Every structure is written in structure tokens, then in C-alpha cells.
Amino acid sequence: MRVIIDASNVAHSRKNDEDRPCIDNILAAVEELEKLGYEPVIIADASLRHEIDDKERFKKLLDEGRFQQVPSGTNADHFILKMAEEEDAKILSNDIFREYTDEFQDINSRRIPYSFRDGKILIGTSGKPKKVKNILQKICNEALREFEKKRIDSYRVKRGKKLSGIAIAREAIERISRSQEEGLEPKLEGIFMKLPLFEKFMSMVEEVERTSNYIIFVLVHPRDYRDAIKYAGNIAVTVGDRLKLDHAPLVAVRNDIFLKPGTFELNIMYSEDVMEEAPHNVNITINDHDYSFVKKNSRNIASTIAARIGSWRFPIVSVKPSMLLEKPGEFEVVLEKGGND
């Protein structure tokens, strides 16, 4: 089993008298992992070479290929997590990588914690892997990654907030107020699915896009969809009045399989950034074990993807079983050109 050493995290865990990260921490980790039968791989971010206590030895180990350094300007945490996922490796680090839990599932089962005691490093154990209960999230994550490869941005949830009408309105007011000063992030700050209550209103989407500057996509767990719809009209009026907007924003609610019941997230977009149709449809090939469950949730998958890439209409999501995928949890995702093109 390969173990990627998060060199910056390990080096900074104990500093020398001059408050500099120590190279000996890294070397001690290498030695201990090798004793335990692991194959260590040392990955350092670009700034560590300037901070480490023994720059000459660090450079020598880099030149010899014993240490690896991520390219300047590259996020080392993301690089390490991606490498671990691709190589099915563990990670020695006390960083819990909280900001990456949406993109990389089950980080806790990959991460090995450690501690220093009496000058020696003690290697901990990683958490137990989660069961394949998150297969819908895994499929959506893979589909969103495929969209991103085609240069289509996607919104990634950070942490759901407790669901209520007033909480949604307050969050929308705060974000739109901030956007008026700083601008929204490119492409995505919110998300959503067509509301039955707004059927007539939403059939006039072209007129909405001409008159409303903002689209507020409200992301909720499927169980909370009906309750969230009840808030939509009041939220639009409240946000429009409080911010003195010329036109009230359109509020659209979408089922989102990443959200926990009782929580919500907002993806707030400029109207002109919303795509009328998803540019690609999603073909899912799945094992026989999970086929029925994934097929049953195909509309929730479509809703989640449409909301996160900023598409007004859902992509077509097709699900088919394959005897070549034998194990529970196995699947493949392929995008197929869709939309108007």
C-alpha cells in the first residue's frame, strides 16, 4: 500500500527553535512507514522549500527524486487527494481536508493521522470505508467532473444550512448585497428545478430573463421539496423589497442529492449566465445490484446536475445495466451531446 506523505503538514507539526518546519519530521515519517511495510511517497507544496529548516538537504532530496514538489501555483491539498484517489493510496496527514469533502468522497478512510511523542512519530489508523450508500452522490460527482473537463463550471456545496423560509431569504439578501459590490463568482452561486407552483410563470422564462437580474436556485433534499416550494413566492417578494430591486428575482427549487434532510444551499446566478438547456446528456452504465435504485433516482440525478451546471432544463439521464460491472458500487458515466446543438 502506497502512503502519500503530506510533507508540509508533517513538517509544520513540530517546529525548531527558530519556528521553522522541520525536515526531520518528514524523514521520521518515511522511516516509520517503511517499517510498517508501506511505500511512502513524499509530496510537498512549492512554498515548503523556502520555509524548511534545512534548505540544502531539502533541495538535495528533491534533486534525487526522493521528494516530489507540486508545480508552483498548484493547490497541494487537491493534488494529494487526486493522486490518492487515482492510485488508491492512503495519505499521512492531520489535515482533515474539510473543504474537499464534496469532491472527494470518504476522505476519512484514506487519511492516516499521526502524532509525535518523546521525539518519535506514532502512526495512527485510517477510518473504516463507508458503505456504497452514497452511490448517487458518487455518480453526480463523476458527471460534474466530466462537465468540468468540457470547461463547464459546476457549483459545489460547502455546507448546508438549516432549512426555513426566513433563513433562505436572509442568505439570499446577504449574497446578492455582496454581489452588487463584488460581483458573483463566474457561472455559479446557486441552482434549481422547475416548480409546479410556478408552472405558468416559468413557462415565460425568456421574459423572466429580460426583467429579472438574478435567479435564486434553492437546493434541498428531495424530502424537503414540497416545503421549500411553499417558501418560494414570499422569498422572491422579500428579497426584491429588501434590496429595492427593479424586478423580484426568480426563485426556483431543485432536488439535490448532496443535501441532508432539513438543510439548504443557494446557487445565485445572473440571469444571462443560466443555460436554457444542458449542453450534454448523461449516460450511466451500472451494475445489476444498483440498477433499480439508480434508475428510480434518475430524475434526482438530472435535477442535481442541471442545478449545479446552471442549466434551466434537465439533461436526459439514461441508466442501463451491464454484466461487465459485477461489483456493487461499480458504474461508468459518459456525456453525450445534448441541448439545441
Side-chain angles (χ1 to χ4, degrees), residues 221-266:
H221 187 275
R223 290 187 206 167
D224 299 316
Y225 178 71
R226 290 182 180 277
D227 288 339
I229 286 176
K230 296 175 186 177
Y231 307 141
N234 287 337
I235 291 169
V237 172
T238 301
V239 174
D241 287 349
R242 177 60 64 90
L243 296 175
K244 295 181 171 55
L245 301 176
D246 292 335
H247 303 282
L250 172 65
V251 176
V253 178
R254 289 284 199 270
N255 286 338
D256 188 282
I257 61 177
F258 290 103
L259 271 290
K260 294 180 180 179
T263 67
F264 76 94
E265 264 292 345
L266 298 185

Side-chain angles (χ1 to χ4, degrees), residues 140-141 143-157 184-191 217 267 269 273-275 277-280 304-311 335:
C140 282
N141 261 324
L144 292 173
R145 279 196 286 269
E146 290 299 312
F147 274 100
E148 288 166 355
K149 288 178 183 177
K150 297 181 182 295
R151 301 182 181 277
I152 298 168
D153 295 330
S154 67
Y155 172 79
R156 300 282 181 160
V157 166
L184 289 171
E185 294 179 4
K187 205 69 184 142
L188 297 163
E189 247 278 279
I191 285 183
F217 290 113
N267 185 17
M269 300 177 63
D273 286 338
V274 178
M275 295 179 283
E277 296 189 33
H280 300 279
T304 302
I305 292 171
R308 290 172 178 271
I309 64 172
S311 168
L335 301 189

